[in-house]
Amino acid sequence: MSVITHDFGADKRRTQQRFRKLLSLDALHETNVEANPLPYLERASERIFQLEKALFEAVLASRPAAGEEAGTDTVTIDAGEYRRLRATLAVVEAAHAHFSADDEDSL
C-alpha cells in the first residue's frame, strides 16, 4: 500500500506569503500577487535598487573624497567600537565587491 501525498497548493501559498513578507505587504495583497505579479515585481526591483544604492553610498562614504586632506581633529573611541566599525566596513566592501562583480559578469 502506498500513500499519495498532495500539498493542495501549500508550496505555492508559502512562496506567495514569503514574497509578501519580503515586500512588507499585508495579507490582503497575497491573492493579488498571484493574479497580477508585475507591480509587485517592480516594487521588489525598486527595493533592490535602493539597497544597492545605499551600499554604494556607504562604500563611497568610507573613502576619503578627492582632494580631501587629513583632518587634525582627534576622535577617541574604545577598541571594541573600532573593531565593530572595521568589521562593518569589511562586510559592506565585500558585499559591494560581490555585487560589482555580478554586474560586470552580466555585461
Side-chain angles (χ1 to χ4, degrees), residues 74-86:
T74 302
V75 177
T76 304
I77 59 172
D78 63 3
E81 179 78 13
Y82 181 72
R83 281 193 301 275
R84 286 190 297 276
L85 289 171
R86 295 298 298 171

